[in-house]
Amino acid sequence: MDIQIDYQHRKEELETLPIEGLAVFVLTHEDKPFNTEVSISFVTDEAIAELNKRYRGKDGPTDVLSFECDGPDEDLSAMFGVEEAVLALGDVVIAPDVAIRQTKEFGTTFEEEISLLLVHGLLHLCGYDHVEDDEAEKMESLESEILEEWTARKTAQSVTETEGDTQAQ
């Protein structure tokens, strides 16, 4: 999978987070092929407010926007005549300053908030939505499931690494 990350804002804080790993985890969870391509951009409040106004007709910054390229279920091999055409799933744009404000509102950490926004944005690219109540329930449940699995995986890796360090001494 090709995960392109553009740190236009708050690069120092964001580079320490496992953005690419989480993106691959989500796309794998959703059975996207290995030739899937996604871009993730972290932008200022002003930049996301401009996108929000232009594409959604809403004023002010939002936390995350998703822009679909190829449909989540498209078979591009026939179009390009190849088995392994790139599936350009789309772009996720996140406003880290909005995420920071939301940590105070929801009692989360910066990493937890960025992780939730990333999962949310990627699920939109995978075809999920939350316009109707039943869709919202399904999407929120899936977000929770993915984040719980991701956290358990990270915890297990930390334990394994710690045990390896202890044995090496």
Side-chain angles (χ1 to χ4, degrees), residues 83-104:
E83 289 285 325
E84 298 172 7
V86 171
L87 173 64
L89 203 56
D91 308 308
V92 175
V93 182
I94 297 173
D97 289 343
V98 174
I100 288 169
R101 290 192 296 275
Q102 289 177 170
T103 64
K104 294 175 178 88

Side-chain angles (χ1 to χ4, degrees), residues 144-163:
S144 294
E145 175 188 322
I146 289 170
L147 288 167
E148 285 173 20
E149 289 176 17
W150 173 250
T151 301
R153 180 177 175 227
K154 280 181 30 184
T155 302
Q157 283 177 333
S158 290
V159 168
T160 302
E161 289 170 5
T162 302
E163 288 172 354

Side-chain angles (χ1 to χ4, degrees), residues 93-126:
V93 182
I94 297 173
D97 289 343
V98 174
I100 288 169
R101 290 192 296 275
Q102 289 177 170
T103 64
K104 294 175 178 88
E105 181 180 344
F106 300 122
T108 55
T109 67
F110 182 63
E111 181 174 357
E112 289 169 337
E113 200 62 31
I114 292 293
S115 296
L116 174 61
L117 296 176
L118 179 58
V119 170
H120 185 88
L122 290 170
L123 288 178
H124 274 303
L125 296 182
C126 292

